[in-house]
Amino acid sequence: MQNLRLTLKSRPEGKLGSEHFDRVEEDMGPLADGKARVRVVYVSLDPAMRGWVSPDTKSYIPPVQLGETMRSLGVGIVEESKSDGYKVGDWVSGTPGWTKYVDVAPGEISVVPQMDRIEHYMGVLGLPGVTAYQGLVIEGQPKEGETLCVTGAAGSVGSLAGQIGKALGLRVIGIAGTQEKCDWLTKELGFDAALNYKTDDLSKGLAEFAPDGINLHFENVGGAPFKAAFRNMAAHGRMIFCGFISAYNGDIDPDPLDMTTIIRRRLMLKGFTMPDHYASYPMLFSELGKLMMQGKLKYRLHVEEGLENAPVVFNKLFDGSNTGKLVVKVSDL
Amino acid sequence: MQNLRLTLKSRPEGKLGSEHFDRVEEDMGPLADGKARVRVVYVSLDPAMRGWVSPDTKSYIPPVQLGETMRSLGVGIVEESKSDGYKVGDWVSGTPGWTKYVDVAPGEISVVPQMDRIEHYMGVLGLPGVTAYQGLVIEGQPKEGETLCVTGAAGSVGSLAGQIGKALGLRVIGIAGTQEKCDWLTKELGFDAALNYKTDDLSKGLAEFAPDGINLHFENVGGAPFKAAFRNMAAHGRMIFCGFISAYNGDIDPDPLDMTTIIRRRLMLKGFTMPDHYASYPMLFSELGKLMMQGKLKYRLHVEEGLENAPVVFNKLFDGSNTGKLVVKVSDL
């Protein structure tokens, strides 16, 4: 059985590209006892992966080593099993990496319930949903009636954070980068308002929507949208930092913040990452599943074909040209 | 009885000066029924006052209005009373403002217990002690064995924050601006280490003192000391913002922060101001009094004479030339 995987060849300075990865074509050989062979169906492309290929910077997770298969979340199906933990046909979700096949031992990847679509595990029940829920609800402690602002609001995490906010009784404004995305937020997802950071005056728009200030802010992108929110926070407002994508390729915004705002308005700024809340996973899945079944959480995928294209397709996350949760289809279910 | 008070004439753009205040000399007239006349002994000069004379910026407290007596904490003694709430000779502590005398009704200023020195109410039992305790303990939630960094460590609040940290079993490093201040921190106050931000390599010094990073940081000044601490925070570190004095005269540090650090290390940045914790005052007083009686909290005052000099003397806070909690002596006890 022929496999293809992409291993890290060199650490990028700026954008990720094909030149940073080696294509490894190899025969899988026979399956070892105690293991199962997984055929990957989708791999997930997420902004955090840019940090995983950076040199070690005391980050929350060790960097991918040179020569290692690129780390990536994904879903797949068990093709062959010599393990009691897996049976042929099982759906699995975890971190297979950029590979067509992977042999796993129990504990290395999770069997998940089969639903109408395996794609749910890339969306509401995948990294985007879990991240949105833990950031908004566990870190942000929202209270009914509060005003929530979400940047990167049409992104996979932002769109779910906003919808969870609506489900919990918050007033929600989203900031996105095209009129089409803004329309999707207000007309399809039920956001109360949306601003286009390329054409709207953000400070004015936020001040009009939230004359008493923003109580809770969910940050995904950094740059001008972040600053507009920062300047419009209410006293005792909380800003939850999920992502700061504008800085991931090494660009640091040259326009400094007035940090005294943090004191004058007694703000809390709090960063979080998904692995800090592994213990909450069962609760997160259950809560997200409930909201999804009630039709309150919609998402859309942006599917690209072909594992070998992953390094280049990845950059769509940074220019905003993806139109949903970005995934690469590796094989048919 | 002749009074002198300073009222706000115009809002400063940068530094405070005599030109921003009017000297009002007036006769106090007879004391009204239900009131007490307080002779002010000390007024306190604090960095936060710079914000109180700025235009309204959604701050935690309304600005001082033009024509109003400049707001200021202080202590005094009751000279005459036509109120059941006060008797002649009572010590009072509160917000008399920049004035020699003030007539107060019950609730406007607090009677405080008489101790060996009235100066304690400008130090440990005044704004510095209360601010240090609420920031470090209530906001920072320190745990024994953690590493604490304090900027503006020789300042009135910073020196007490560090000493409270030591009393609670933390390892404490202070950052200050002269060798004399650093020596005072380590030799007199029991800090474990001190760095001089004018001569020491702060990043190197912090990394050596805290190879696993800073768990809790107490910020008073901003600028380079803040940034060095920010870059040396441990995962899940908390940065408590008490003051950011380097920015109070309108200067914003042009060197931007890498905000992705907040996510990668899951930091919490939290601003606070004294008035948010009025409800905790009795507890704060009791805890601070206990530590002071145990000899664990030392402070020093920097006394200047003459109310009329307050606007100019105030700037010592910003050039670091005060050698203790800055107060103006208005009259003898």
Side-chain angles (χ1 to χ4, degrees), chain A residues 57-60 226 236 241-244 247-248 252-254 256-260 262-273 276, chain B residues 57-60 226 236 241-244 247-248 252-254 256-260 262-273 276:
Chain A
T57 51
K58 291 195 191 174
S59 195
Y60 62 97
F226 162 65
H236 301 286
F241 285 62
C242 174
F244 219 75
Y248 288 5
I252 294 186
D253 185 340
L257 290 178
D258 179 0
M259 302 290 282
T260 66
I262 296 178
I263 302 174
R264 283 185 285 107
R265 303 207 196 135
R266 293 85 88 208
L267 303 183
M268 182 184 80
L269 283 64
K270 177 83 168 64
F272 78 101
T273 62
D276 284 333
Chain B
T57 51
K58 291 194 190 173
S59 196
Y60 62 98
F226 162 66
H236 301 287
F241 286 61
C242 174
F244 218 75
Y248 288 6
I252 293 187
D253 185 340
L257 289 179
D258 178 1
M259 302 291 280
T260 66
I262 296 177
I263 301 174
R264 284 186 285 107
R265 304 209 194 134
R266 294 85 88 210
L267 302 183
M268 181 184 83
L269 283 64
K270 177 83 168 63
F272 78 100
T273 60
D276 284 332

Side-chain angles (χ1 to χ4, degrees), chain A residues 205-260:
Chain A
L206 289 175
E208 279 171 11
F209 181 74
D212 297 325
I214 298 162
N215 306 110
L216 180 56
H217 176 77
F218 193 103
E219 182 59 47
N220 287 303
V221 298
F226 162 65
K227 279 180 187 152
F230 183 76
R231 293 179 184 131
N232 279 283
M233 293 300 292
H236 301 286
R238 294 95 67 204
M239 303 192 88
I240 306 301
F241 285 62
C242 174
F244 219 75
I245 194 168
S246 62
Y248 288 5
N249 283 326
D251 302 331
I252 294 186
D253 185 340
D255 174 22
L257 290 178
D258 179 0
M259 302 290 282
T260 66

Side-chain angles (χ1 to χ4, degrees), chain A residues 80-93:
Chain A
E80 184 186 353
S81 179
K82 293 186 181 175
S83 159
D84 292 342
Y86 302 96
K87 58 183 196 301
V88 172
D90 275 351
W91 287 8
V92 291
S93 175

Side-chain angles (χ1 to χ4, degrees), chain B residues 82-280:
Chain B
K82 293 185 180 174
S83 159
D84 292 340
Y86 301 96
K87 59 183 194 305
V88 172
D90 276 351
W91 286 9
V92 291
S93 175
T95 311
W98 283 356
T99 186
K100 287 191 172 186
Y101 292 94
V102 61
D103 291 348
V104 295
E108 289 181 0
I109 205 162
S110 304
V111 177
V112 292
Q114 304 207 354
M115 313 182 75
D116 54 330
R117 301 181 62 205
I118 197 169
E119 286 80 0
H120 292 326
Y121 289 103
M122 293 278 90
V124 174
L125 299 178
L127 185 68
V130 168
T131 304
Y133 197 94
Q134 79 185 47
L136 188 78
V137 181
I138 301 182
E139 301 285 357
Q141 297 285 318
K143 291 170 218 38
E144 199 179 330
E146 285 191 325
T147 295
L148 167 68
C149 177
V150 181
T151 61
S156 58
V157 175
S159 60
L160 288 168
Q163 292 177 82
I164 295 167
K166 284 307 301 174
L168 297 175
L170 281 73
R171 291 180 67 236
V172 181
I173 189 165
I175 302 178
T178 68
Q179 194 53 46
E180 186 275 333
K181 288 178 178 178
C182 288
D183 289 344
W184 182 59
L185 296 177
T186 53
K187 293 175 187 164
E188 300 279 327
L189 303 192
F191 280 50
D192 297 289
L195 295 169
N196 180 339
Y197 70 80
K198 289 185 181 146
T199 58
D200 292 331
D201 179 335
L202 296 183
S203 279
K204 189 162 163 280
L206 290 175
E208 280 172 9
F209 181 74
D212 298 326
I214 298 162
N215 306 111
L216 181 56
H217 176 78
F218 193 103
E219 182 59 48
N220 287 302
V221 298
F226 162 66
K227 280 179 187 154
F230 182 77
R231 293 178 184 132
N232 279 283
M233 292 301 291
H236 301 287
R238 295 94 68 203
M239 303 191 88
I240 306 302
F241 286 61
C242 174
F244 218 75
I245 194 169
S246 62
Y248 288 6
N249 283 327
D251 301 330
I252 293 187
D253 185 340
D255 174 22
L257 289 179
D258 178 1
M259 302 291 280
T260 66
T261 305
I262 296 177
I263 301 174
R264 284 186 285 107
R265 304 209 194 134
R266 294 85 88 210
L267 302 183
M268 181 184 83
L269 283 64
K270 177 83 168 63
F272 78 100
T273 60
M274 199 252 304
D276 284 332
H277 295 269
Y278 274 137
S280 310

Side-chain angles (χ1 to χ4, degrees), chain A residues 10-331:
Chain A
S10 61
R11 301 197 182 280
E13 298 275 336
K15 274 185 170 186
L16 222 62
S18 301
E19 67 275 20
H20 302 111
F21 297 89
D22 278 318
R23 282 172 62 103
V24 178
E25 299 186 58
E26 62 194 353
D27 190 87
M28 289 293 284
L31 181 64
D33 276 340
K35 290 204 162 188
R37 180 157 297 172
V38 169
R39 175 167 53 78
V40 176
V41 175
Y42 287 106
V43 293
S44 172
L45 300 185
D46 300 290
M49 296 164 72
R50 181 62 188 77
W52 300 347
V53 295
S54 295
D56 198 353
T57 51
K58 291 195 191 174
S59 195
Y60 62 97
I61 195 170
V64 177
Q65 298 303 310
L66 297 179
E68 263 187 353
T69 302
M70 178 61 193
R71 183 188 297 144
S72 175
L73 297 182
V75 289
I77 187 161
V78 175
E79 290 254 309
E80 184 186 353
S81 179
K82 293 186 181 175
S83 159
D84 292 342
Y86 302 96
K87 58 183 196 301
V88 172
D90 275 351
W91 287 8
V92 291
S93 175
T95 312
W98 283 357
T99 186
K100 288 191 169 183
Y101 292 94
V102 62
D103 292 348
V104 296
E108 290 182 358
I109 205 163
S110 304
V111 177
V112 293
Q114 303 206 355
M115 313 182 74
D116 54 330
R117 301 181 63 206
I118 196 169
E119 287 80 0
H120 292 325
Y121 289 103
M122 293 279 90
V124 175
L125 299 178
L127 185 69
V130 167
T131 303
Y133 198 93
Q134 78 185 49
L136 188 78
V137 182
I138 301 182
E139 301 285 357
Q141 298 285 320
K143 291 170 218 35
E144 199 177 332
E146 285 190 325
T147 295
L148 168 68
C149 176
V150 181
T151 61
S156 58
V157 175
S159 60
L160 288 168
Q163 291 177 83
I164 295 167
K166 284 307 300 174
L168 297 176
L170 281 74
R171 292 180 67 237
V172 181
I173 187 164
I175 303 179
T178 68
Q179 193 53 48
E180 185 275 333
K181 289 178 178 179
C182 288
D183 289 345
W184 182 59
L185 296 177
T186 52
K187 292 175 187 164
E188 300 280 327
L189 303 191
F191 280 50
D192 298 289
L195 295 170
N196 180 340
Y197 69 81
K198 289 187 181 145
T199 59
D200 291 331
D201 180 335
L202 296 182
S203 279
K204 188 161 163 280
L206 289 175
E208 279 171 11
F209 181 74
D212 297 325
I214 298 162
N215 306 110
L216 180 56
H217 176 77
F218 193 103
E219 182 59 47
N220 287 303
V221 298
F226 162 65
K227 279 180 187 152
F230 183 76
R231 293 179 184 131
N232 279 283
M233 293 300 292
H236 301 286
R238 294 95 67 204
M239 303 192 88
I240 306 301
F241 285 62
C242 174
F244 219 75
I245 194 168
S246 62
Y248 288 5
N249 283 326
D251 302 331
I252 294 186
D253 185 340
D255 174 22
L257 290 178
D258 179 0
M259 302 290 282
T260 66
T261 305
I262 296 178
I263 302 174
R264 283 185 285 107
R265 303 207 196 135
R266 293 85 88 208
L267 303 183
M268 182 184 80
L269 283 64
K270 177 83 168 64
F272 78 101
T273 62
M274 196 253 302
D276 284 333
H277 295 268
Y278 274 137
S280 309
Y281 256 54
M283 181 277 277
L284 295 171
F285 263 76
S286 149
E287 292 300 316
L288 288 162
K290 253 188 280 180
L291 292 173
M292 186 173 75
M293 293 306 162
Q294 293 164 8
K296 290 180 176 167
L297 301 183
K298 296 176 189 165
Y299 68 94
R300 55 185 182 186
L301 292 190
H302 177 125
V303 182
E304 296 272 343
E305 303 276 338
L307 182 62
E308 58 279 14
N309 300 320
V312 172
V313 165
F314 179 75
N315 292 301
K316 287 184 180 287
L317 293 169
F318 295 86
D319 64 20
S321 64
N322 57 314
T323 56
K325 165 71 194 113
L326 189 61
V327 296
V328 171
K329 187 167 185 180
V330 180
S331 68

